[in-house]
Amino acid sequence: MHSQRQTYYNLIHHGIQELLMDRLGHYSENEYHQYLDMLSGKSSCFAMNLEELKTTLSMLESEGYLEDVKSLIPHH
């Protein structure tokens, strides 16, 4: 289970980084946590349960911010 959660963490981090670069033209850890909080209601993936991780990942995927790593996205 740990490796599955880590996969979600990595994909969400990647997706939000792409989103911020696209929308703001830059990225910072602070902005990452702020956007994650706006998106999910939690500022850290560690605080999310598996369903929240899946929902957040799905939102990023639907906005097109995970195209380059689409093959890594778990679909259960």
Side-chain angles (χ1 to χ4, degrees):
M1 179 66 87
H2 172 68
S3 64
Q4 183 183 26
R5 287 187 64 88
Q6 189 63 49
T7 298
Y8 283 111
Y9 299 162
N10 293 341
L11 290 168
I12 289 169
H13 194 274
H14 177 78
I16 291 177
Q17 184 174 4
E18 283 193 349
L19 181 149
L20 291 171
M21 290 298 294
D22 180 49
R23 294 185 182 176
L24 303 178
H26 63 275
Y27 166 83
S28 75
E29 282 295 316
N30 188 43
E31 289 165 332
Y32 164 81
H33 291 289
Q34 288 174 352
Y35 191 80
L36 183 61
D37 190 38
M38 279 186 354
L39 194 61
S40 68
K42 298 194 176 164
S43 64
S44 170
C45 287
F46 298 113
M48 294 182 193
N49 63 37
L50 192 55
E51 284 306 310
E52 291 167 325
L53 290 168
K54 289 178 181 180
T55 299
T56 301
L57 190 63
S58 179
M59 286 188 265
L60 289 165
E61 183 179 15
S62 71
E63 290 190 39
Y65 289 107
L66 295 168
E67 288 301 312
D68 61 331
V69 292
K70 202 169 191 88
S71 65
L72 301 175
I73 298 171
H75 290 284
H76 300 285

